[in-house]
Amino acid sequence: METAGALKSLPLHLRKSLPLKNELVCLSRPQIAFFSHNRMSISPLIQMVFVNGTESNQPICTGVRFSVICGWWHSSMERLVGAEGNAETNIEEITVEKASSSLSLTKRIADPVVYKLVRVEGDGRLVPATDDELMEVENLLEDDKGELPFVEEHRYPKGCISSDGFSSEKAGLESSEDMPGLSQTENMEVDARKLHARLEYIGEMLQKVKQEEKLRLSSESPDSSSNCMNVDRPSPDKHNQSPIRHDKPHAENPLLESDSLQLPKLNDPDTTQVASAEMCPELRGSVFGESSASDTPTTRKPDFFTIKGEICLDNLSIRELHETFRATFGRETSVKDKLWLKRRIAMGLTNSCDVSTASFIIKDKTLIRKKEKEVVSGLENSNTADGSLSRDEIVGATSDDHRDQITRLTEKSEDRQVLSGKRLRTSQTEYDAKNEVEADMKGEYLHMQQTGAKRVRKPTRRYIEELSEVETRECSGRSVSSFKNSDHGQPSLKSWARPVGTGSVDLAGTSVFTRQDSLEGPGFQIPHVSRVRRGRPRENFLPLMTYHSSGMTEKFAEKVVGVHASRQDGESGSNMRALTEQILQPTSTEAEKESLPGVTHTVEQQQDLEPEKLESSQDNSDENLTSVPTSKSGTRRKHHRAWTLGEVMKLVDGVSRYGAGRWSEIKRLAFASYTYRTSVDLKDKWRNLLRASLSQAPATDQGMKSSRKHASIPIPADILVRVRELAETQSQVAPERSSCKWAGHSKSVHESRSGYL
DNA sequence: CTTAGGG
DNA sequence: CCCTAAG
């Protein structure tokens, strides 16, 4: 249902939505598109689908399947996916024999291509990408936007990409620059015009939205909402074949869409108010003030829309931002993060990825940087007078340098403070840490010189103890909020309104949260949907989580469980850890639920190489349950994944080939296809195997191998034997490593050592 | 980041 | 599996 709707309503001009322009060659013919991107972090499940939005509501989806090959993005491009309006129906797959077949398709597809990011489910259904996925892609693309030339809307089928046509080599990427196409200037002019048109359009949209909101606030008349969005845009670019036009018919009734779409209620006043109130207190005024001043809803121009062509995103409420977003990109968003929205819109409007600023006033397609004007003047000046965008800005130098520069120089602006605050803070802490380390090292060095002893492994400090330390430090000190934000670039997160500990943690729930409140104040936040903006998706936001729960967990543990004192005691540690997990559990679950409505978000990547038939079934079965590599949802414990026989054999094989201890190599070479087995896992498993083989050594060839109660995989004796043999071999080859290792288990280390010496 | 080891 | 210390 939703899927179909989303697909149908696809007049989405998503091209603006994704800063793909640098990386994505988007042709009028749908068959050519590629991701010339040297990144691999996007889940292979994310695919680009080009949709030709015809007025007849019969979109034709043409998809390019992207896959990760050798860690590079590579469009395998062997097929198009055609879809009738209803995405529920099975999608017939049309194999395309490269360039020639395009003709038939092109006939039907004359309109500009718009595209939408979707996932293709296992059964072939197209599911609109979640905003998370979108963000993922965006973040990716933002990262190295500078690497590629701006290639846009070539008219040539030349780009028809064979799977090896654009290898992942950078040389391949650069070649895109040489692609025949529009001259850059021409291209940009066109683009500028489009932008202009869009801008005006958006202005009016916003007006309408405002009016509508007022109407809605004053009288809950339902028909007003349906009317008000009928925008009669005086298209200013009649001479221009702007794609906007094609968006128009669909954009006429966005409200209807918004109701039917999967997106969370835009109309929910609670959402809006809460969000605006909590995230940007300074904006409350605009929200409320506007509602009170709603007497002439007909023609009065909203405050924020001061001059034609100038939009101040800063003053917009979430809802308005949503509308703006939709007007800009032609699609909905459920993201409630204002900063994000503003950035995205700004990106779309300025056609630039460089919206590092935090003040979003868009004028004439350029971002007005409030306080940075002087500083970045060079950059600003590079914008040509006619509003076309300078290449520098688009393809600009390394974005990070740039950004940092800006950031450092402008720490005054209120808004920006968060952003720069983060940066400064990190660098500060880094600095501190470095110093500390240095001091540490010095101390240790001295110590070593004095004693001349070997470096001794410090007694492991369990993490739970560290947490308690953190807490005490926190109690005495301060700077809680800063820490909280330290890992997400976005200052304003969704605040966690509802109590987390609903179900399972009832006991703890109350005391826990009151306590937390007393520590942190009401702004207790949990980074449940937070995105790590840069870098690969991380799985360890555990530090964050544990941080949040640190205070409570420990106290709770002490009080309720009665584990007392003796932090060194292992049991206490594990208990608390269990508690931690228990408490954290509902949180992440909730988070998942919230941001992935209805879609089975299988994070597990679909392997190109099917691991092995032995475990393939098993893989599929618990694929959904397994780990949580997504950047959000955090790290729950990895779902225990039983080692299959095949894996064990592979491991043994790997050890025999590369030697025990070369876990990373084994992982790389033998376990490349098993994403879920880390080198550490291998090591652990080997250890266990070793142990098993030892314990069974005396009584080998018995049938007892399977008699283990919960041995998920009864390791065949022969394998164990082989393990033992291997172990011995290894020990001979590399004695110090393995001999001590397993000799130490049964015998005293001393003994084995002497034997070796 | 990788390895080793303890839990 | 998870976590940490040590290279």
Side-chain angles (χ1 to χ4, degrees):
Chain A
M1 268 305 258
E2 283 179 358
T3 321
L7 275 178
K8 267 184 186 170
S9 65
L10 260 191
L12 313 184
H13 205 63
L14 246 166
R15 138 177 284 285
K16 286 302 172 199
S17 153
L18 301 170
L20 288 175
K21 42 186 181 292
N22 299 330
E23 291 82 9
L24 185 75
V25 174
C26 170
L27 304 174
S28 297
R29 306 188 185 357
Q31 83 274 17
I32 299 161
F34 74 98
F35 234 103
S36 55
H37 216 286
N38 57 344
R39 299 294 290 266
M40 47 177 274
S41 322
I42 309 182
S43 156
L45 292 181
I46 300 179
Q47 305 186 2
M48 301 298 301
V49 169
F50 287 74
V51 176
N52 177 52
T54 63
E55 309 236 6
S56 58
N57 275 339
Q58 293 281 324
I60 295 166
C61 305
T62 59
V64 182
R65 196 167 276 253
F66 288 94
S67 54
V68 176
I69 298 177
C70 299
W72 296 83
W73 275 106
H74 207 113
S75 78
S76 47
M77 195 55 214
E78 69 279 285
R79 56 174 82 165
L80 298 179
V81 181
E84 289 302 314
N86 188 357
E88 297 287 337
T89 65
N90 275 337
I91 295 167
E92 40 163 299
E93 289 185 346
I94 314 161
T95 359
V96 177
E97 46 278 24
K98 303 292 149 75
S100 57
S101 70
S102 65
L103 296 177
S104 58
L105 283 164
T106 337
K107 264 186 280 177
R108 303 159 66 190
I109 306 166
D111 293 336
V113 175
V114 288
Y115 57 83
K116 179 184 179 62
L117 190 63
V118 302
R119 275 188 309 112
V120 176
E121 292 278 73
D123 52 21
R125 280 185 308 132
L126 301 181
V127 178
T130 65
D131 278 299
D132 278 336
E133 287 163 338
L134 211 56
M135 284 168 102
E136 213 161 33
V137 178
E138 286 165 9
N139 290 340
L140 261 184
L141 297 176
E142 283 170 48
D143 272 353
D144 33 14
K145 59 180 182 195
E147 288 180 6
L148 294 166
F150 187 160
V151 189
E152 182 182 42
E153 299 231 350
H154 290 260
R155 300 199 200 89
Y156 307 87
K158 115 154 217 183
C160 211
I161 294 151
S162 59
S163 45
D164 49 351
F166 283 80
S167 70
S168 38
E169 305 300 327
K170 297 220 166 166
L173 301 186
E174 267 143 29
S175 75
S176 57
E177 194 165 26
D178 304 326
M179 277 191 179
L182 303 176
S183 74
Q184 288 295 342
T185 39
E186 197 179 353
N187 201 355
M188 280 189 288
E189 266 178 33
V190 171
D191 204 54
R193 263 189 231 119
K194 285 186 213 160
L195 280 170
H196 192 68
R198 178 181 307 280
L199 202 60
E200 290 186 9
Y201 173 60
I202 285 169
E204 295 188 32
M205 284 292 290
L206 280 174
Q207 255 183 85
K208 305 283 182 184
V209 171
K210 278 282 187 180
Q211 291 174 10
E212 182 259 349
E213 205 167 48
K214 286 169 201 160
L215 276 181
R216 193 174 52 82
L217 287 176
S218 53
S219 64
E220 297 292 326
S221 74
D223 49 340
S224 64
S225 60
S226 53
N227 277 342
C228 70
M229 296 310 285
N230 274 329
V231 182
D232 243 30
R233 188 175 57 88
S235 75
D237 48 358
K238 292 204 162 71
H239 53 289
N240 191 9
Q241 253 281 17
S242 166
I244 295 176
R245 286 178 156 192
H246 303 277
D247 297 349
K248 196 180 143 195
H250 301 267
E252 275 179 2
N253 50 0
L255 276 191
L256 299 181
E257 284 178 27
S258 80
D259 284 342
S260 63
L261 277 184
Q262 74 277 25
L263 306 166
K265 30 247 150 193
L266 285 175
N267 295 326
D268 187 356
D270 285 343
T271 314
T272 315
Q273 286 188 7
V274 165
S276 58
E278 297 217 352
M279 303 203 299
C280 300
E282 72 275 10
L283 292 180
R284 244 180 306 184
S286 77
V287 174
F288 294 134
E290 148 223 340
S291 59
S292 65
S294 64
D295 32 12
T296 55
T298 27
T299 51
R300 190 181 138 281
K301 284 204 173 190
D303 316 318
F304 61 88
F305 187 64
T306 50
I307 313 171
K308 204 163 196 175
E310 173 164 343
I311 297 178
C312 179
L313 295 176
D314 284 327
N315 295 337
L316 300 187
S317 69
I318 293 279
R319 182 186 162 75
E320 289 157 353
L321 283 174
H322 274 144
E323 297 298 343
T324 313
F325 188 93
R326 186 167 60 203
T328 312
F329 301 126
R331 74 183 170 87
E332 299 279 356
T333 180
S334 60
V335 177
K336 297 192 193 81
D337 186 330
K338 269 196 174 180
L339 188 64
W340 186 85
L341 286 169
K342 287 192 276 190
R343 285 193 73 219
R344 290 298 304 116
I345 295 170
M347 276 189 224
L349 291 180
T350 61
N351 197 20
S352 163
C353 299
D354 183 53
V355 285
S356 53
T357 178
S359 67
F360 296 96
I361 302 177
I362 286 129
K363 180 174 187 176
D364 286 338
K365 301 154 287 277
T366 47
L367 204 57
I368 306 275
R369 294 186 172 86
K370 258 180 200 163
K371 312 223 166 187
E372 313 162 2
K373 248 188 176 166
E374 312 85 39
V375 182
V376 213
S377 62
L379 185 102
E380 285 293 295
N381 290 341
S382 65
N383 285 341
T384 53
D386 61 293
S388 60
L389 292 159
S390 83
R391 253 181 91 68
D392 287 352
E393 180 143 39
I394 299 172
V395 191
T398 50
S399 59
D400 259 343
D401 289 336
H402 191 53
R403 233 168 251 200
D404 267 37
Q405 213 177 349
I406 295 177
T407 316
R408 292 231 159 82
L409 291 172
T410 63
E411 9 169 329
K412 293 194 177 170
S413 151
E414 290 287 333
D415 272 299
R416 127 177 317 291
Q417 160 181 338
V418 228
L419 207 139
S420 65
K422 176 205 160 196
R423 271 175 199 281
L424 293 178
R425 181 162 309 282
T426 44
S427 48
Q428 179 67 32
T429 50
E430 270 172 23
Y431 181 72
D432 283 355
K434 240 177 226 166
N435 276 358
E436 260 181 52
V437 167
E438 259 177 35
D440 245 4
M441 281 169 64
K442 265 185 211 160
E444 199 156 337
Y445 179 65
L446 286 180
H447 183 261
M448 277 174 65
Q449 281 209 330
Q450 285 170 0
T451 62
K454 237 184 183 176
R455 234 180 127 133
V456 191
R457 190 183 204 266
K458 273 196 289 188
T460 304
R461 228 169 32 169
R462 296 307 286 170
Y463 75 108
I464 199 71
E465 301 168 40
E466 281 193 62
L467 287 183
S468 66
E469 280 184 17
V470 169
E471 193 218 9
T472 49
R473 210 181 308 161
E474 220 67 61
C475 278
S476 56
R478 29 150 232 105
S479 77
V480 176
S481 52
S482 54
F483 187 99
K484 261 187 307 191
N485 283 340
S486 69
D487 210 0
H488 8 86
Q490 322 273 339
S492 49
L493 299 168
K494 294 181 192 176
S495 57
W496 189 259
R498 68 195 122 151
V500 183
T502 35
S504 44
V505 234
D506 269 347
L507 274 181
T510 49
S511 65
V512 161
F513 281 96
T514 49
R515 171 159 174 65
Q516 195 72 17
D517 270 353
S518 68
L519 274 180
E520 290 190 10
F524 175 49
Q525 291 181 338
I526 289 189
H528 68 295
V529 206
S530 70
R531 308 281 312 185
V532 185
R533 291 214 83 254
R534 303 201 159 268
R536 274 166 275 294
R538 282 279 162 94
E539 16 190 0
N540 55 341
F541 85 130
L542 190 62
L544 271 177
M545 293 298 278
T546 47
Y547 167 77
H548 282 297
S549 54
S550 64
M552 43 175 155
T553 319
E554 201 202 278
K555 296 291 179 195
F556 174 47
E558 283 185 9
K559 277 181 195 166
V560 179
V561 189
V563 188
H564 197 39
S566 76
R567 305 260 157 84
Q568 313 290 356
D569 185 5
E571 219 180 319
S572 130
S574 54
N575 263 336
M576 294 207 253
R577 176 167 147 195
L579 286 169
T580 315
E581 284 170 6
Q582 211 178 7
I583 291 178
L584 293 185
Q585 200 88 353
T587 302
S588 43
T589 317
E590 287 279 344
E592 270 176 10
K593 239 189 265 169
E594 172 157 324
S595 56
L596 311 171
V599 203
T600 50
H601 188 101
T602 52
V603 205
E604 198 65 24
Q605 309 188 337
Q606 279 177 346
Q607 319 285 333
D608 287 344
L609 334 156
E610 200 57 60
E612 212 173 278
K613 280 173 188 172
L614 264 173
E615 56 256 25
S616 66
S617 62
Q618 196 174 356
D619 279 346
N620 290 336
S621 66
D622 56 2
E623 197 173 27
N624 295 335
L625 308 176
T626 336
S627 65
V628 203
T630 338
S631 34
K632 60 153 172 299
S633 85
T635 52
R636 205 174 321 130
R637 193 190 200 97
K638 253 207 294 194
H639 245 93
H640 176 67
R641 197 160 195 151
W643 276 73
T644 64
L645 216 64
E647 286 173 305
V648 170
M649 276 157 58
K650 248 184 181 135
L651 175 59
V652 171
D653 197 51
V655 170
S656 77
R657 246 206 294 252
Y658 312 109
R662 325 262 283 229
W663 304 119
S664 62
E665 273 190 60
I666 298 177
K667 157 73 180 166
R668 241 197 2 261
L669 300 169
F671 277 75
S673 46
Y674 299 82
T675 57
Y676 47 91
R677 298 284 184 219
T678 70
S679 55
V680 176
D681 290 332
L682 301 188
K683 179 216 62 178
D684 284 339
K685 183 57 180 177
W686 179 253
R687 184 171 50 177
N688 288 340
L689 282 178
L690 226 48
R691 222 175 290 183
S693 76
L694 274 189
S695 67
Q696 284 199 12
T700 6
D701 42 10
Q702 248 89 29
M704 72 92 48
K705 48 226 144 161
S706 59
S707 67
R708 271 192 136 85
K709 282 167 212 162
H710 28 267
S712 42
I713 294 298
I715 296 163
D718 48 342
I719 289 190
L720 289 182
V721 170
R722 184 152 172 230
V723 167
R724 204 168 65 251
E725 285 171 4
L726 260 174
E728 279 175 40
T729 316
Q730 300 282 332
S731 74
Q732 282 167 9
V733 174
E736 48 233 74
R737 229 198 240 140
S738 27
S739 79
C740 286
K741 188 162 56 183
W742 52 271
H745 275 296
S746 46
K747 312 179 175 193
S748 81
V749 182
H750 208 70
E751 202 174 349
S752 76
R753 171 90 39 100
S754 63
Y756 161 61
L757 291 173

